[in-house]
Amino acid sequence: MREVKRGKNRIEKNSHSINNKGKNIISIYHTVFSFQIKWVFIILLNIFFKNIQASDITDTLNYAKTLLQSGEFKKAEKVLSSLATAHPDDLNILWLYGQSAYEAKHYKLFESVYSNALQKFPSNYYLKLDYAIKLSDIGEVDKALPILEMYKQYDAASTDLKLAYSKIPYYNEKGEKDTIAYVKRLMSKYEFKKAGQVAKVLYHAHLADLNSAWLYGQNAYYAKHYSVFNTIYSQTIHKFPSNYYLKLDYANKLLELGNANKALTALNSYKIYDSASTDFKSAYKLAQFMKGIITDDSLEYAHYLVNTWQYKKAAKFLNTLHQSHPDDFGIQWLYAETAYGAKHYKTFNEEYNEAMDKHPSNYFLKMDYATKLVENGDIDKAMPLLKKFEAY
């Protein structure tokens, strides 16, 4: 009996021991599981806050962009300054920060931010190009050129690169030093005074160069420095007598200034070279017209001016022709018509009346005059003429 009791006590002890171990294992699993849940929760919470933070950054960037677009550059710069401090390695933030400083005309800060960004992102060529363009825009050409040269190695055909070079004085869009291209660029922007200063230096430095002299003369013409224009063209034609295109260009400009005598001299010289040239023929006819020389094409040119509604120009031309040929009926009639189109009503009435006095039996002339009087509201003057035409 005692042994049975002892065995029973052993079994109870063992059972209790097993129960304790089981509880310990369960407790361990519970602890581990709780730790895992907490860890997962912390991770999820971290992700959640990062997403919120990323969303906040995006919203702030968009706000800064809106400020830039609305011209509030200083306000945008202030917003982006805080962002850049909090996120010093974010390319978009740094780039936009640099742009805002540039637009706010805080150029020292602009250069500092872009330089910092380029150190962190040395392989971003678009950032380099943007920086170089902005540097050239504020006159920091010496700083811009090395950066543009680096970008040129990356993409020499870039349209933006060509545009950047085109903004740099004395350079062409290929990145080559080209003073003539620079002068032409200034002229295309109507900066004739500045172009003249550069062209003058270029001309005196290269007196034997045709292109430099020609360009200097052209700019003087557009700048309305006509004395310089005539001197440079005359000297250049004397140095390069076989350049007939130079002579034709000079003649055309003289015609525009109303100097038909000098123009004809230049054109007669060109005539030896190529009398069949369309440009020559056009200029030669105009010079003859301006001198009042009647040719087969004179009235044809006048009709062209009238048909293209260039009444004032036609009236001026026909006035010259009429004065040199006062008895030419066709010229006088066309002159009278043109004066009406140009609203020179006094001349219109005088010329029609004079023509009718000279040609009293020309009823078509009278009818034409009467029609124009009616169009102009002068019925009283028109009625007698219309009655005469009716009797005719």
Side-chain angles (χ1 to χ4, degrees):
M1 282 294 286
R2 286 180 183 173
E3 288 184 9
V4 172
K5 236 179 193 182
R6 286 177 189 159
K8 190 177 177 182
N9 289 335
R10 284 197 203 102
I11 290 169
E12 285 176 358
K13 283 181 182 179
N14 288 337
S15 175
H16 181 71
S17 176
I18 289 167
N19 285 336
N20 286 337
K21 285 181 180 178
K23 285 179 182 179
N24 289 335
I25 290 168
I26 290 169
S27 177
I28 290 167
Y29 275 117
H30 177 73
T31 303
V32 171
F33 185 67
S34 297
F35 178 76
Q36 286 176 333
I37 289 173
K38 286 179 183 177
W39 181 246
V40 169
F41 178 73
I42 290 167
I43 291 171
L44 290 172
L45 199 63
N46 191 37
I47 292 168
F48 174 71
F49 281 117
K50 278 187 177 178
N51 286 337
I52 289 175
Q53 191 181 34
S55 178
D56 286 343
I57 293 169
T58 303
D59 289 343
T60 308
L61 271 177
N62 288 334
Y63 175 56
K65 287 176 184 177
T66 303
L67 289 172
L68 282 169
Q69 288 166 1
S70 59
E72 297 184 68
F73 306 125
K74 290 182 180 179
K75 194 179 278 190
E77 182 191 307
K78 191 174 180 180
V79 170
L80 288 160
S81 174
S82 299
L83 267 182
T85 303
H87 306 279
D89 296 320
D90 189 302
L91 172 62
N92 292 326
I93 292 172
L94 288 174
W95 200 335
L96 208 60
Y97 182 31
Q99 287 176 339
S100 69
Y102 170 79
E103 295 295 350
K105 297 183 179 179
H106 297 157
Y107 297 130
K108 283 186 179 179
L109 177 62
F110 145 71
E111 289 188 40
S112 173
V113 174
Y114 266 89
S115 297
N116 179 35
L118 283 171
Q119 283 178 355
K120 291 179 178 179
F121 305 97
S123 61
N124 194 309
Y125 285 92
Y126 299 105
L127 178 64
K128 289 178 183 178
L129 182 60
D130 183 42
Y131 184 37
I133 290 171
K134 285 178 169 57
L135 283 170
S136 63
D137 283 343
I138 61 173
E140 295 285 358
V141 175
D142 292 338
K143 291 178 182 177
L145 282 171
I147 301 170
L148 288 172
E149 197 59 37
M150 278 192 282
Y151 189 89
K152 189 177 178 182
Q153 304 304 316
Y154 168 70
D155 182 10
S158 165
T159 305
D160 291 328
L161 177 67
K162 290 177 182 178
L163 179 63
Y165 272 125
S166 72
K167 293 181 178 181
I168 295 178
Y170 301 99
Y171 278 78
N172 62 25
E173 61 179 23
K174 294 179 182 177
E176 302 163 341
K177 199 152 188 177
D178 190 340
T179 308
I180 286 179
Y182 176 51
V183 173
K184 287 179 179 178
R185 191 159 73 238
L186 290 172
M187 288 171 65
S188 71
K189 295 177 181 177
Y190 305 102
E191 296 181 43
F192 300 121
K193 186 177 180 180
K194 193 172 183 180
Q197 291 169 349
V198 179
K200 184 178 181 180
V201 172
L202 184 67
Y203 169 70
H204 287 293
H206 306 279
L207 290 171
D209 183 69
L210 169 63
N211 292 326
S212 300
W214 198 339
L215 196 63
Y216 183 31
Q218 284 180 329
N219 186 76
Y221 171 78
Y222 291 119
K224 297 183 180 180
H225 298 159
Y226 298 126
S227 175
V228 176
F229 152 71
N230 277 303
T231 300
I232 297 301
Y233 265 90
S234 297
Q235 288 177 354
T236 309
I237 287 170
H238 182 71
K239 287 179 186 175
F240 303 94
S242 61
N243 194 305
Y244 293 96
Y245 296 104
L246 175 65
K247 292 177 182 177
L248 184 59
D249 181 42
Y250 184 40
N252 277 316
K253 285 178 170 56
L254 287 168
L255 288 172
E256 288 174 9
L257 294 174
N259 196 333
N261 289 326
K262 270 190 176 181
L264 273 173
T265 302
L267 288 167
N268 283 326
S269 177
Y270 185 90
K271 189 177 181 180
I272 301 166
Y273 168 69
D274 184 9
S275 60
S277 162
T278 304
D279 291 335
F280 163 74
K281 285 181 178 179
S282 176
Y284 199 69
K285 284 177 188 176
L286 181 59
Q288 289 180 314
F289 297 156
M290 287 172 68
K291 283 182 67 66
I293 300 170
I294 284 282
T295 69
D296 294 338
D297 299 317
S298 296
L299 286 178
E300 181 186 328
Y301 177 67
H303 279 294
Y304 161 74
L305 291 174
V306 172
N307 292 335
T308 53
W309 302 286
Q310 299 180 65
Y311 296 118
K312 289 184 179 179
K313 193 172 182 179
K316 188 177 179 181
F317 167 62
L318 283 162
N319 180 38
T320 304
L321 278 184
H322 179 48
Q323 285 177 5
S324 58
H325 301 83
D327 297 322
D328 190 298
F329 176 56
I331 291 174
Q332 187 169 24
W333 191 347
L334 189 59
Y335 178 40
E337 285 182 314
T338 305
Y340 174 77
K343 297 182 180 180
H344 300 161
Y345 296 124
K346 184 182 177 183
T347 302
F348 151 69
N349 282 303
E350 287 174 353
E351 294 303 327
Y352 265 101
N353 283 313
E354 186 180 306
M356 286 189 296
D357 287 343
K358 289 179 181 177
H359 307 277
S361 60
N362 194 314
Y363 288 94
F364 294 103
L365 175 66
K366 292 176 182 177
M367 183 63 181
D368 182 38
Y369 182 41
T371 302
K372 286 179 171 57
L373 287 170
V374 170
E375 287 175 358
N376 205 37
D378 204 341
I379 307 297
D380 293 338
K381 276 188 181 179
M383 287 307 295
L385 294 169
L386 289 170
K387 285 178 181 177
K388 284 182 183 180
F389 189 84
E390 188 178 13
Y392 168 75

